[in-house]
Structure formats: structure tokens, C-alpha cells
Amino acid sequence: MRWGLILQYNGKNYCGWQRQKTDVPTVQGVLCKCFSNVLQEEIIVYGCGRTDTGVHAKNYVAYFDSSNLKADMTDWLLWKINAYLPFDIRINHIVKVAEDFNARFDAISRTYRYYIATKKQPFNTEFAWFVPQKLDIKKMNTAARILYQYDDFTSFSKLNTQTMTNYCQILYAHWEKKGEFLIFTIRANRFLRNMVRAIVGTLVEVGKGSRSVEDFAKVIEAKNRALAGHSAAAHGLFLEEIEYDASVFPRKLFDYQTPKIFGF
């Protein structure tokens, strides 16, 4: 039987989601080990996509197959697995899904948020990138809207990946100011590796005035990662939500209120 998961994690102590050949801590690796131990069978947990080293997730979707897990065991498993998992990973839901459900390929869209602190944050240093320079959010939003005009984002992709195509559809991209923070929300049908952090880093250069709005468009058109800005710090990035058709994955499960960052 196939089972779906919604989980959240603090990425500080992990080298991203995906298991690697070397023995480094990853979220997927920890989940596979814990589920295998609890269910007494080999479990491989498949995710909705990769997150980079240090990136966090508030509503991450995954799935696994099990011959030992029965429908009346899910409440017990939810309690048991959370007791086994380290403090920085928590499962919020375990739900039966279709046998052909695929968390990655069935997703309609993905939403990320990036947090920038405009003033030092002694108690929140691991959840926001501190940028002391004054940023022009109006120009950053003007540049962000340019993303809608393009679908090839090679300039914002990590080099030498196994991705078959660098085409993505940006559905939403906007900066807002809340107190001492700037928050960038971006939604797309898919993202390339390192794409959000590369976009944020380049938009911050626009906000600082070291790059023009027109130059931002030229960077996209060049399809050259070397022309874009440096990637923003990983610890300011959160995977917020994965969207599925309601017939594939119950939308109501995402109504769970994850802890807010900085009170919002």
C-alpha cells in the first residue's frame, strides 16, 4: 500500500533532502532509517523534490510503500515515528494515497518564501538572511514581474545538473515588507536546483542599485549562470506549499497551521 506524508523540517543540520552516496545527514536518509526501524521492513521515502543544504520546509510532501502498515495503524505510527525522529523533523499527516501517486510528478505548483532581515536578529539568525544595506523593494518587484515573461531560467540554475530542461512557468513572484523583514514569495510549476536562491540574490543586487531592472532581464536572456548574482543564503529559504489536484491529494491536509516565522 502507498502512503502519503506531509512533514516539516529545519534544514540547518542537513545536507538537503536527498540521500547521497557519502554518509552525510539528509532528511530523506533520516526518514528512511526511522520508518524502516519502526515498520520492520525496508522503507524508501520519496519526496516532492530536492531542497538544498540548509533550506527549510513547512509543508513538504512525500510518500512510501509498505506491506506492514495497515489503515488502523496510522495514528500509532504518527506518534511512534515522531518519537523516533530528531527534534528538527516532524510528520504532520500520514494518509492513504493511490498506488500510482507520485509526490514529485503529480504536483501542480510549488511555493517558496525567502526571508531577509533588514536589521540584525540575535534570536532568529538561522531563519533569515541579514542584508544591512537599504533595499529598494519597488525596483525589486518591478524586476520580479519580468520573470513572468520568460520560461527558460538557465541563468538561475545550478550548473552540471541532470535536469532534462530548464523551462519553468512562474505563476507568482512578489516582495512585501513586514516589520524588519522583506519576504519574497514565488510560485511555479517547477523549480531548478538553486533557482530561488539565485533569483533572490540577483534581485537583491537590483534592490541595492548595483544592477538595473533592465540588466535583470538581460541576465535571463543570456542563459548564463555566471552573469546572475550570487545565491542568497540557504537558511532564509522555506518550501511553503505543494499544490495537487484535490482528487490526487486531499487539500484539507494543508490546513494544518505550521508555526509562523517571526510571528507571520
Side-chain angles (χ1 to χ4, degrees), residues 7-259:
L7 60 139
Q8 60 189 79
Y9 56 84
N10 180 331
K12 178 182 178 180
N13 297 318
Y14 301 99
C15 296
W17 161 264
Q18 188 163 315
R19 288 193 297 182
Q20 301 181 26
K21 294 179 180 179
T22 56
D23 189 23
V24 296
T26 65
V27 179
Q28 184 186 35
V30 170
L31 289 171
C32 290
K33 181 178 180 179
C34 289
F35 274 98
S36 296
N37 287 340
V38 172
L39 292 173
Q40 293 296 292
E41 61 178 318
E42 183 179 5
I43 298 292
I44 299 178
V45 180
Y46 299 94
C48 57
R50 294 181 176 182
T51 54
D52 295 335
T53 297
V55 174
H56 317 292
K58 295 176 68 176
N59 280 295
Y60 189 94
V61 178
Y63 69 95
F64 66 93
D65 294 325
S66 171
S67 56
N68 290 345
L69 179 60
K70 309 304 179 185
D72 61 353
M73 297 169 57
T74 54
D75 288 344
W76 166 83
L77 180 60
L78 185 63
W79 170 81
K80 189 72 172 179
I81 203 70
N82 278 318
Y84 265 75
L85 286 170
F87 70 95
D88 46 13
I89 302 176
R90 187 171 87 179
I91 309 295
N92 292 329
H93 290 290
I94 301 175
V95 61
K96 181 69 179 70
V97 292
E99 294 302 309
D100 61 350
F101 172 73
N102 187 297
R104 177 183 175 190
F105 295 113
D106 287 344
I108 297 172
S109 71
R110 297 156 171 83
T111 301
Y112 283 88
R113 283 201 178 96
Y114 195 93
Y115 294 82
I116 288 179
T118 59
K119 294 185 179 180
K120 292 174 68 175
Q121 301 294 322
F123 304 110
N124 290 308
T125 56
E126 64 185 76
F127 297 127
W129 179 29
F130 173 47
V131 179
Q133 296 93 337
K134 184 175 178 58
L135 300 177
D136 188 329
I137 190 173
K138 184 176 180 180
K139 285 185 178 179
M140 292 163 70
N141 270 326
T142 300
R145 286 192 291 272
I146 292 174
L147 293 167
Y148 301 143
Q149 303 173 24
Y150 297 91
D151 54 17
D152 187 332
F153 294 100
T154 301
S155 292
F156 299 128
S157 174
K158 187 173 182 178
L159 300 176
N160 303 316
T161 68
Q162 298 178 337
T163 304
M164 299 297 294
T165 174
N166 289 336
Y167 285 85
C168 309
Q169 181 185 5
I170 304 296
L171 305 171
Y172 183 82
H174 184 72
W175 289 92
E176 61 180 324
K177 180 174 176 56
K178 289 192 174 182
E180 297 178 349
F181 298 91
L182 298 181
I183 307 169
F184 181 58
T185 303
I186 184 167
R187 182 180 303 115
N189 65 330
R190 64 188 291 264
F191 288 94
L192 309 174
R193 289 192 64 185
N194 201 239
M195 179 175 167
V196 179
R197 292 169 56 202
I199 289 175
V200 170
T202 310
L203 287 173
V204 164
E205 292 185 358
V206 173
K208 290 179 179 179
S210 58
R211 189 187 294 271
S212 68
V213 172
E214 293 73 23
D215 185 52
F216 184 78
K218 292 177 181 178
V219 167
I220 301 174
E221 293 169 358
K223 302 176 185 178
N224 184 344
R225 178 64 184 91
L227 297 182
H230 293 294
S231 295
H235 62 268
L237 182 60
F238 287 76
L239 175 60
E240 288 281 332
E241 186 177 341
I242 311 295
E243 181 187 4
Y244 297 91
D245 186 277
S247 64
V248 174
F249 201 86
R251 179 66 184 84
K252 64 181 181 179
L253 295 182
F254 291 100
D255 292 338
Y256 175 83
Q257 294 298 309
T258 53

